[in-house]
Amino acid sequence: MMMNTVHPSSHSRSQRTNLFLSILVLVSIQSSLSNAFTPCFLNLHHSCAKIGDGTRRGPVHSSPSFAPVAMSNKEIDEEVNEPMKGCVCLVTGASRGIGKGIAIELGKAGATVYITGTTSSSSSNARADLSQSVMTNINTDEKSRSMFITNDEIGGPETIEETAEAISKAGGVGIPICCDHSQDDQVKQLFEKIEQDHGRLDLLVNNVFRVPPGGTSGLFGKFWEVGVDVWDAIHTVGCRSHYVASCYAVPLMKKNYPRSMGSMARPMIAMISSFGGITYTFNVAYGVGKAAVDRLAKDMAVELRDEDIPVTSFYPGVVLTERTQRAVESGDWAREVGIPLVNAESPGYTGKAIVAVATDPENMKKTGTFQVVAELAAEYKFTEEDGSTPPSIRSLKFLLPAYGFDEETRKKVDPNLIPDWKLPFFIMANGEPPKPQ
């Protein structure tokens, strides 16, 4: 997808005033209550720490115990530098964008990563030797070609083979699979192939998202103007696709579990969502689709709790994807979005968050929730490759430069002077954001 961000619309001066009033309320509350409640929170944290001992727990119907095994120095180094070595992962929709960034980060962590997409440099229908990371085209039957196939206009020139090569160069094993996620038979064959090759799946990242017909312009319009095709595209590949993939993934995750999977304590399902799940973003179809993805994670978590499989939604911020860069070059970004990109995240930032949560022995505490990538960075102490830490979209560090300052003020104000205080989610959910200055 192009970006995960809030969509600016025309707003009155009173609406901008409401934002700043909310910020002032937040600052006042945080300043006055911080000292009073901090000891309470610390006591609660220490109490919870005593309860949560980090012991790996398998499904309730099967919880064998294992004696600790001594590790060599080499094994310890691999677990630190390649925490997902030996893990079998699937990232849907990874030709470009956030999916590609996630897949490469999993490769850096040592994982074997299957990636799907409909943009391929190969036209061969033959099954290839996957040990050589050659694309396998599951099904290119003509009837499978549909409005859900990405082309250069809607997506871009990037291919699944390029992503697979990048994964392998990063230290993992990249396996590209040409798969249209609007076609259930292709998805079924995808998981059959993973089972045939590895007999299990450790991590599913439901990322695939179909930009509406006509490209990103379909994301900017009133629902009665853009029509039904936008709804069908976004919800078929971007919501229903996540449900279908999860249906096939869970039986593979349960197979031969518990077992050793690098530093992963248990299998996991990650949903790539956005702040559009809680606040108006782009248009009706997009927001409802992201809210549905969050609800999928929440309700799947209930049914998978006894299987010891966490399901978590991830909220990237404004992401500097290939599509975003093309929008900047064409002028669409300035015209339709207008948010400065100084605090943009790289596609790999979300990948770092997923690796961190997937290898956290206490990640069941996050099941059924949505997690902000930038806030996970603070929790797990990871950064961008250049050492920077883009702020959360709900942080004053993001909100003031994006919505409160004009270009001249942004140049004058030192970002380090802006506190990293975050608006409560209930304020973020209160309608549209203001228009950037």
Side-chain angles (χ1 to χ4, degrees):
M1 57 179 296
M2 183 176 75
M3 78 288 296
N4 281 275
T5 181
V6 284
H7 173 53
S9 300
S10 296
H11 279 264
S12 65
R13 185 181 303 274
S14 63
Q15 287 171 306
R16 290 195 295 271
T17 301
N18 287 338
L19 172 68
F20 286 105
L21 285 175
S22 298
I23 292 173
L24 289 174
V25 169
L26 173 66
V27 173
S28 176
I29 292 175
Q30 181 154 344
S31 299
S32 61
L33 298 184
S34 176
N35 292 335
F37 283 93
T38 296
C40 299
F41 288 137
L42 288 175
N43 290 336
L44 177 61
H45 172 75
H46 291 311
S47 299
C48 291
K50 294 177 181 179
I51 296 172
D53 58 5
T55 302
R56 174 179 171 176
R57 295 174 175 81
V60 294
H61 54 269
S62 176
S63 54
S65 59
F66 299 92
V69 179
M71 297 177 66
S72 67
N73 289 336
K74 180 181 178 181
E75 289 172 326
I76 293 173
D77 288 343
E78 285 182 349
E79 185 155 334
V80 171
N81 299 320
E82 296 183 317
M84 300 189 69
K85 187 175 181 62
C87 297
V88 181
C89 308
L90 169 62
V91 182
T92 66
S95 299
R96 61 189 65 82
I98 295 174
K100 181 176 183 177
I102 293 169
I104 292 173
E105 288 300 323
L106 292 173
K108 290 179 183 178
T112 294
V113 189
Y114 286 81
I115 57 168
T116 65
T118 58
T119 310
S120 168
S121 61
S122 173
S123 59
S124 172
N125 292 336
R127 290 192 179 278
D129 181 2
L130 295 185
S131 66
Q132 300 177 17
S133 296
V134 179
M135 187 275 289
T136 294
N137 194 327
I138 284 182
N139 183 353
T140 54
D141 190 340
E142 279 301 315
K143 70 179 181 180
S144 74
R145 309 300 295 180
S146 67
M147 65 182 287
F148 304 104
I149 301 294
T150 298
N151 54 37
D152 283 2
E153 178 188 2
I154 294 177
E158 301 81 17
T159 68
I160 53 176
E161 289 85 3
E162 292 171 356
T163 300
E165 182 179 356
I167 293 168
S168 297
K169 285 182 177 179
V173 178
I175 304 175
I177 303 288
C178 192
C179 178
D180 177 357
H181 281 270
S182 71
Q183 304 296 312
D184 292 353
D185 59 335
Q186 292 189 30
V187 179
K188 181 174 183 289
Q189 291 177 63
L190 162 66
F191 283 92
E192 288 173 346
K193 188 61 181 171
I194 295 174
E195 181 174 19
Q196 175 186 328
D197 292 346
H198 297 281
R200 71 176 203 274
L201 180 66
D202 303 320
L203 173 67
L204 168 64
V205 181
N206 281 315
N207 168 77
V208 67
F209 177 86
R210 183 62 63 238
V211 172
T216 55
S217 60
L219 290 173
F220 303 108
K222 308 299 184 184
F223 70 88
W224 64 90
E225 296 171 345
V226 299
V228 177
D229 284 351
V230 170
W231 176 280
D232 289 342
I234 290 175
H235 288 245
T236 301
V237 180
C239 182
R240 184 183 184 276
S241 56
H242 297 4
Y243 181 88
V244 174
S246 299
C247 286
Y248 286 115
V250 170
L252 280 182
M253 289 179 168
K254 292 173 60 178
K255 235 178 179 185
N256 302 322
Y257 176 65
R259 62 187 177 278
S260 174
M261 306 176 298
S263 294
M264 287 186 70
R266 54 186 63 82
M268 187 179 90
I269 298 175
M271 305 282 194
I272 305 306
S273 185
S274 83
F275 275 90
I278 60 171
T279 189
Y280 180 85
T281 305
F282 297 138
N283 60 22
V284 171
Y286 181 89
V288 173
K290 292 304 182 182
V293 167
D294 291 345
R295 187 57 189 246
L296 272 179
K298 183 177 181 179
D299 287 2
M300 284 182 179
V302 173
E303 297 187 4
L304 286 173
R305 188 174 298 277
D306 288 348
E307 306 297 338
D308 200 36
I309 299 175
V311 189
T312 304
S313 279
F314 290 81
Y315 281 16
V318 177
V319 182
L320 194 58
T321 64
E322 301 91 340
R323 189 178 288 119
T324 302
Q325 292 171 335
R326 286 192 285 270
V328 171
E329 293 168 2
S330 68
D332 287 346
W333 183 267
R335 182 170 51 256
E336 300 287 359
V337 183
I339 294 175
L341 292 170
V342 63
N343 287 319
E345 300 170 6
S346 71
Y349 210 46
T350 300
K352 292 174 185 284
I354 289 176
V355 170
V357 175
T359 57
D360 181 354
E362 297 191 359
N363 56 15
M364 281 299 291
K365 293 179 179 179
K366 290 181 169 62
T367 191
T369 67
F370 58 83
Q371 299 289 322
V372 179
V373 168
E375 295 171 28
L376 289 172
E379 178 181 351
Y380 290 99
K381 310 302 181 187
F382 62 83
T383 68
E384 292 279 21
E385 292 301 310
D386 63 2
S388 63
T389 53
S392 168
I393 278 185
R394 67 189 184 110
S395 168
L396 296 193
K397 280 185 173 293
F398 180 91
L399 292 169
L400 287 179
Y403 299 109
F405 299 159
D406 57 23
E407 184 61 29
E408 184 178 350
T409 305
R410 278 194 289 269
K411 293 177 180 178
K412 292 179 179 178
V413 176
D414 182 353
N416 295 319
L417 298 178
I418 305 174
D420 189 25
W421 292 334
K422 299 172 182 66
L423 291 184
F425 284 108
F426 74 85
I427 293 180
M428 295 292 294
N430 190 25
E432 303 173 73
K435 183 178 177 61
Q437 295 293 303

